[in-house]
Amino acid sequence: MLLTLYKRHLVRVVFSLAILALFLLHVTKFIKVDALDAFELFTYDQRMRLTTSRAVDDRIVIIDIDEKSLAAEGRWPWSRDKLALLIDKLLDHYRVKIVGFDVVFAERDESSGLKVLESLAATEFEDEPKFQQRLDQLRPALDYDKQFADAIRGRAVVLGYVFNEKGSQAEATKVGMLPPPAFRPGHFTGRNIPFVVADGYAANLPELQSAAVGAGHFNPAIDPDGIVRSVPMLYEFDGAQYESLSLAIARAALGAEEIEPGYAEGTKAGRGYSGLEWLAVGNRAIPVDNHVRTLVPYRGKKGSFPYISATNVLHGTADASRLEDRIVLVGTSAPGLLDLRATPIQAVFPGVEIHANLIAGILDGNLKENPAYTLGAEFLLVTVSGLFMALLLPLLSPLWATIATLALLAAVVTTNFLIWNLGNLVLPLASGVVILVVMYLFSTTYSLFVETRGKRQLAGLFGQYVPPELVDEMSEDPEAFSLEGESRELTVLFSDVRSFTTISEALEPRELSQLMNEYLTPMTRIIHEHRGTIDKYMGDAIMAFWGAPIHDPEHARHAVQAALGMLAQLRILQADFERRGWPAIRIGVGLNTGPMNVGNMGSEFRMAYTVLGDAVNLGSRLEGLTKGYGVDMIVSEATAEAVPEYLYRELDRVRVKGKDQPVTIFEPVGLKQEVDKSERDEMTLYQQALKLYRACDWDMAELQFLNLQKRAPARSLYSLYAQRIAHYRNDPPGADWDGVFTHVTK
C-alpha cells in the first residue's frame, strides 16, 4: 500500500530528497550556503538574548576611561606616571585582587620632555656640568615608563596586546615584546589544530612586559556579520601559542601556573579533527571549538559589571567596598577611543566588557560548548528531518502537513533550546529549521501547482458525475482513473416520479421547474453522500451507479442505503410541497447489481460517462415494476445477496420485457435487527402463501392472501396475487409452470 502511494508521488519525493542532499552538502562543508550560515548566527543571537541573566556581577569591576575621566584628566593617552598612580591606588589603597589592562603600551611616553632634555644635554649643554647633574636628578621623576614599570613590577597586573591576524589587511609589523607563550613551538605537533595564526603584533614595551605578571591578547573573533560572539583562547605566532587576556586574568585569579589542553577521550589526531575540546586552568575546563575559540557568555547589555570612573580612582573618591578583592579591568567606554564592538546582545558594546563576561564565565564554569562533533549532530538532525518531511508530507492533506511541520519545528526548536539552556551545548539550529520550512514550502507548492492541476483535470472529467469529495480522493492517484471503457461489477439505480405528466399539467412552467429543482437537489446530495455517480437526469428520472470511477467493494450496500435515504427524504419533501400547494409526488426506485460496461460513450458530437449492458437494462425494468407491485423500491436478487444485513420481502419471480432469464425481485423491509415481530410474522405468512401459489394450490393460497389483505389492507401486493389466482383458476398456467410471471410491458 505504501509503495503504491510513494510510486504515485515519486517525482515529489525525488525532488525532496534532492533538497535534503543539498542541505547535507552544506552541513559537511562541500558547498557553502551563506544564507544558512547567516541564519545560524541569527538563531545563536536569539538564543543568547533569551537566556541572559541580566544580573550585575560585582566580582569584576571596570575602571572606565570615560568621558568624565577624559574631561578631568585630559585626552588619552594619559602619561604613564598617572597610570602608575592608578596602579598604586588600586592595589594599595583599594586592595583590588588583580588589575588587567585592555590597553596596549607599545610606544614610549615622551610627554615629560625627558627626551628633549637629554637631546639638549648631548648638544647645547654638553659642557655644562650643572645641567648634566640636574638632569640626572630629574631623570627618575621624568621617566614615566620606568615609573609605570616600577608600579607594576611584582604585582598582580596583567597587560594586554594585539595580534595582526594572518591574511588581514593590517600590516604585519612587530612592535614591542611578546610575553612568554603559553605553549612552545612543537607542543601540538601532529594534532593539526587550526589555530588562528598571526603574522604581526603590537605589544607592550619590553620594560613594561618584563615587569608584569603576565599578558594576553585582546583580539576578539569577528564573525562575517561584524558581531563578536567568541574569542580565540590561543593565538599562534611563529609556531608558539599565546593566551588571551581573559584567559591570562582568569588563570591569575585561580592561581594556576599552567594551561593543560584537554582532548576528547579516544580521539586521535588527523582526519580533520584534532580532538582538542577544552583547556584546563586549575579546576576549570574552558570549552573551545575547532579553532580554539570560546563563546562569550554575555550576561546582558552594557552595565552587567560595575563601572567606576578612572578619575574617581585617581582622586580616591571611589567607593572602596566596591573594589576590595575584586578583579579590575582598565578599559574605555568612551566613543572616541574606538573600543566599541557589536555583540549579539547590543549593537554598541564596550570591548572591555567582552573580556569581563568571558572571565566571569571561566570562573563560574558556565561556558557554552561548541565542539567539532556537533557536525555529526547537525548531520543527523538534517537527515532525520529531511527524510521525515520527504516521506511523510506526500501522504498528508495540506492541513495535516501544516500541523505536522509546525509540530516538528516546535520539537526541533524546543529540544535545541533545552540542550542550550540546560546542557550548555550549542547545537546547530538553522539548517534543521530551514530544511523543514523549505520542504514544506516545496511540498505545498508542488501540491498546489502540479497535483492540483491533475485534480482540476479529474474535476473536469468527472466533476459533473461525482461529488467533490470523491474527486479529492481520486486526485490521490489520478493515473488510476480514465474515461476509457471497461467491464466491472457495479450497482445501478433508476428512479422515476410517478404520474409526472399529470403533475406537470397541474403546474405553471416556473413552478414545475422549481419543484423539480427542489426534488432533484436533495436526491442528488444523498446519492453523492453515499459515493454514487450521477449518470444523467432524464426529465423527472435519475440514473446513477456505484463502483465507478472509484472502485468500491461495497457498491451494492451504498446503493441500497442511498435509495432508502432518497425515500426517507421524499417523505420530508412531501410536507414542504403540501405547504406550497404543490401536488404530492411518489417515486419508484429500481436497483440491480451485475457486470456492466462503464466509460465515456457517445458520438463525436457528445460524449458521456455512463454504463451499458443487460444488468443496466434490468435495473431500469425493476424501477418500472414498482408501481405494479405497489412498492416504492425493488432490488434484484444479486443486490439482495450483496447486502445481507437487510430483511427483504420476496415480491415475485418474473421475466421482464426483453429478457428470457427469470429473476427474483425483492422489496427491502429494513435492517434485520430493526424489523419488529409483527412485520416478521406477516412476512412468514406471506412466504407460506407464496409457496401455495407457486404450487398451484389456488384455494389455500387465496385464503392466505385474503387473510393477509385483511391484516394489511394498504399493501396492494396481496390483492395483486388474489387477482392472479382468480385468473389462473379460469386459465391455468400449465403443468410445466415454474411460478414465473412474464411482464410484457416496461
Side-chain angles (χ1 to χ4, degrees):
M1 180 65 177
L2 279 177
L3 290 177
T4 302
L5 288 173
Y6 286 127
K7 183 178 179 181
R8 187 188 313 155
H9 299 288
L10 181 60
V11 175
R12 189 171 170 184
V13 172
V14 168
F15 273 105
S16 297
L17 293 177
I19 293 172
L20 171 59
L22 178 66
F23 274 83
L24 291 178
L25 288 173
H26 168 77
V27 171
T28 53
K29 312 302 182 186
F30 281 98
I31 64 173
K32 181 177 177 61
V33 182
D34 292 334
L36 279 176
D37 290 337
F39 187 60
E40 184 63 58
L41 296 177
F42 172 80
T43 62
Y44 176 89
D45 295 348
Q46 300 312 306
R47 285 173 282 176
M48 177 63 71
R49 291 173 186 173
L50 289 171
T51 54
T52 53
S53 67
R54 296 179 177 84
V56 176
D57 185 352
D58 64 357
R59 296 172 302 171
I60 303 170
V61 179
I62 296 171
I63 304 303
D64 193 10
I65 305 170
D66 54 7
E67 297 285 359
K68 176 183 176 181
S69 299
L70 294 176
E73 308 298 333
R75 66 184 180 88
W76 183 263
W78 292 341
S79 60
R80 304 280 161 78
D81 63 329
K82 186 172 292 187
L83 293 176
L85 175 62
L86 182 66
I87 290 294
D88 290 338
K89 287 284 188 180
L90 288 171
L91 293 171
D92 297 335
H93 179 70
Y94 291 106
R95 300 182 181 279
V96 302
K97 185 176 183 179
I98 298 171
V99 178
F101 276 92
D102 186 26
V103 180
V104 61
F105 305 106
E107 298 176 349
R108 294 192 171 278
D109 182 356
E110 298 175 353
S111 62
S112 66
L114 177 59
K115 186 175 181 180
V116 175
L117 293 176
E118 288 179 336
S119 176
L120 291 173
T123 56
E124 298 292 332
F125 299 101
E126 183 180 8
D127 299 326
E128 295 290 336
K130 289 185 178 181
F131 185 87
Q132 298 289 345
Q133 183 181 6
R134 185 58 178 161
L135 179 58
D136 291 338
Q137 294 172 347
L138 292 174
R139 183 174 279 107
L142 296 177
D143 191 348
Y144 293 165
D145 288 324
K146 185 176 183 305
Q147 290 182 36
F148 187 39
D150 291 341
I152 64 177
R153 184 171 286 108
R155 307 174 86 175
V157 177
V158 179
L159 299 180
Y161 60 96
V162 63
F163 277 119
N164 298 325
E165 185 176 343
K166 189 174 183 179
S168 67
Q169 295 180 350
E171 187 178 352
T173 57
K174 301 174 184 178
V175 178
M177 185 180 82
L178 289 175
F183 297 98
R184 299 288 178 183
H187 185 90
F188 296 100
T189 298
R191 278 285 173 180
N192 299 320
I193 301 174
F195 291 104
V196 183
V197 179
D199 58 6
Y201 56 84
N204 296 284
L205 296 172
E207 58 264 43
L208 298 180
Q209 182 59 64
S210 300
V213 71
H217 71 81
F218 47 73
N219 293 71
I222 302 176
D223 288 324
D225 57 358
I227 294 178
V228 176
R229 298 179 178 86
S230 60
V231 171
M233 289 293 98
L234 297 175
Y235 237 95
E236 183 174 299
F237 179 76
D238 280 350
Q241 288 74 37
Y242 296 83
E243 63 187 323
S244 68
L245 177 64
S246 52
L247 179 55
I249 294 174
R251 187 165 60 83
L254 294 170
E257 294 292 330
E258 296 181 347
I259 303 170
E260 292 291 335
Y263 300 98
E265 186 176 351
T267 61
K268 295 182 179 180
R271 297 182 183 179
Y273 176 51
S274 68
L276 180 63
E277 292 190 2
W278 69 89
L279 300 174
V281 176
N283 60 353
R284 305 294 198 279
I286 304 169
V288 295
D289 66 8
N290 193 42
H291 295 282
V292 201
R293 297 172 301 201
T294 295
L295 295 166
V296 181
Y298 292 101
R299 301 178 65 85
K301 293 184 177 181
K302 174 191 174 182
S304 297
F305 300 88
Y307 278 70
I308 295 178
S309 181
T311 189
N312 290 347
V313 175
L314 288 169
H315 293 281
T317 59
D319 184 354
S321 64
R322 298 175 62 192
L323 287 167
E324 187 174 357
D325 204 32
R326 303 299 202 277
I327 297 172
V328 166
L329 294 178
V330 180
T332 178
S333 66
L337 298 185
L338 304 177
D339 191 29
L340 299 176
R341 304 285 185 177
T343 67
I345 303 301
Q346 201 169 7
V348 180
F349 194 83
V352 64
E353 199 166 339
I354 294 176
H355 306 301
N357 277 282
L358 200 44
I359 294 167
I362 294 172
L363 296 179
D364 293 334
N366 184 31
L367 295 168
K368 301 293 182 189
E369 297 182 49
N370 185 26
Y373 64 74
T374 57
L375 173 65
E378 184 179 14
F379 187 91
L380 180 63
L381 172 64
V382 171
T383 301
V384 171
S385 299
L387 288 176
F388 185 84
M389 297 291 281
L391 300 178
L392 179 67
L393 292 190
L395 308 181
L396 300 178
S397 66
L399 175 61
W400 281 107
T402 302
I403 292 173
T405 302
L406 290 176
L408 193 56
L409 274 172
V412 169
V413 172
T414 301
T415 302
N416 187 285
F417 189 80
L418 289 175
I419 293 173
W420 164 288
N421 205 33
L422 302 179
N424 264 347
L425 187 63
V426 181
L427 292 181
L429 180 60
S431 54
V433 168
V434 174
I435 193 172
L436 294 177
V437 175
V438 168
M439 282 200 164
Y440 170 76
L441 293 176
F442 164 74
S443 180
T444 303
T445 303
Y446 186 90
S447 176
L448 180 64
F449 290 103
V450 178
E451 294 180 352
T452 303
R453 182 181 63 185
K455 182 177 177 181
R456 287 196 301 268
Q457 291 173 343
L458 283 173
L461 294 174
F462 297 102
Q464 59 181 315
Y465 306 113
V466 300
E469 295 80 7
L470 292 190
V471 173
D472 291 340
E473 189 174 325
M474 293 165 66
S475 66
E476 294 179 2
D477 188 10
E479 296 180 359
F481 303 95
S482 73
L483 297 175
E484 294 182 4
E486 59 178 314
S487 179
R488 292 193 200 177
E489 182 185 271
L490 308 173
T491 299
V492 68
L493 173 149
F494 286 88
S495 76
D496 193 23
V497 177
R498 292 175 184 166
S499 304
F500 182 70
T501 302
T502 303
I503 293 173
S504 63
E505 291 174 350
L507 294 174
E508 294 292 330
R510 182 183 60 81
E511 287 185 306
L512 180 62
S513 175
Q514 190 174 0
L515 179 144
M516 290 309 302
N517 290 340
E518 294 286 341
Y519 162 71
L520 290 174
T521 298
M523 297 297 114
T524 302
R525 184 180 299 115
I526 290 170
I527 291 172
H528 281 173
E529 287 174 353
H530 291 87
R531 302 176 68 83
T533 299
I534 296 292
D535 187 307
K536 61 178 70 73
Y537 301 119
M538 299 167 288
D540 59 312
I542 300 174
M543 178 181 175
F545 54 90
W546 280 257
I550 295 182
H551 284 276
D552 182 4
E554 298 187 348
H555 53 84
R557 178 172 291 102
H558 291 147
V560 171
Q561 292 171 344
L564 292 172
M566 292 168 66
L567 294 172
Q569 181 64 36
L570 182 63
R571 289 189 286 272
I572 297 173
L573 290 176
Q574 296 287 23
D576 183 53
F577 287 3
E578 183 180 357
R579 180 180 57 79
R580 299 190 187 194
W582 293 345
I585 63 173
R586 293 192 64 186
I587 64 173
V589 180
L591 289 178
N592 183 40
T593 300
M596 306 174 194
N597 294 317
V598 60
N600 218 24
M601 303 178 193
S603 68
E604 61 179 286
F605 301 103
R606 183 174 181 182
M607 303 290 287
Y609 189 72
T610 187
V611 289
L612 296 175
D614 287 343
V616 179
N617 296 334
L618 178 57
S620 176
R621 299 294 185 269
L622 296 182
E623 181 277 318
L625 295 179
T626 56
K627 186 175 182 180
Y629 286 90
V631 295
D632 296 327
M633 178 177 172
I634 294 179
V635 303
S636 68
E637 186 175 4
T639 303
E641 289 176 352
V643 193
E645 64 265 30
Y646 283 88
L647 187 65
Y648 299 92
R649 179 180 288 108
E650 182 182 344
L651 297 177
D652 205 352
R653 285 206 296 266
V654 300
R655 287 186 185 90
V656 299
K657 184 175 176 59
K659 287 183 68 68
D660 294 330
Q661 191 69 25
V663 294
T664 305
I665 59 175
F666 298 86
E667 176 196 13
V669 177
L671 290 169
K672 289 179 178 179
Q673 67 269 24
E674 295 179 359
V675 177
D676 59 29
K677 184 177 183 301
S678 175
E679 186 81 21
R680 288 179 177 274
D681 291 342
E682 182 184 337
M683 290 184 65
T684 301
L685 294 174
Y686 168 68
Q687 286 296 124
Q688 293 173 357
L690 203 56
K691 289 180 180 179
L692 293 171
Y693 163 77
R694 289 171 179 163
C696 299
D697 189 348
W698 309 124
D699 293 335
M700 290 301 297
E702 183 178 42
L703 179 62
Q704 287 281 59
F705 280 118
L706 289 175
N707 288 333
L708 285 168
Q709 192 171 6
K710 291 178 182 178
R711 181 170 182 161
R715 201 177 307 281
S716 61
L717 176 65
Y718 303 145
S719 62
L720 171 67
Y721 274 101
Q723 292 171 11
R724 283 190 191 173
I725 291 171
H727 170 74
Y728 284 142
R729 274 203 184 97
N730 297 325
D731 188 8
D736 59 346
W737 184 58
D738 55 4
V740 176
F741 185 82
T742 300
H743 289 273
V744 295
T745 62
K746 295 183 180 181

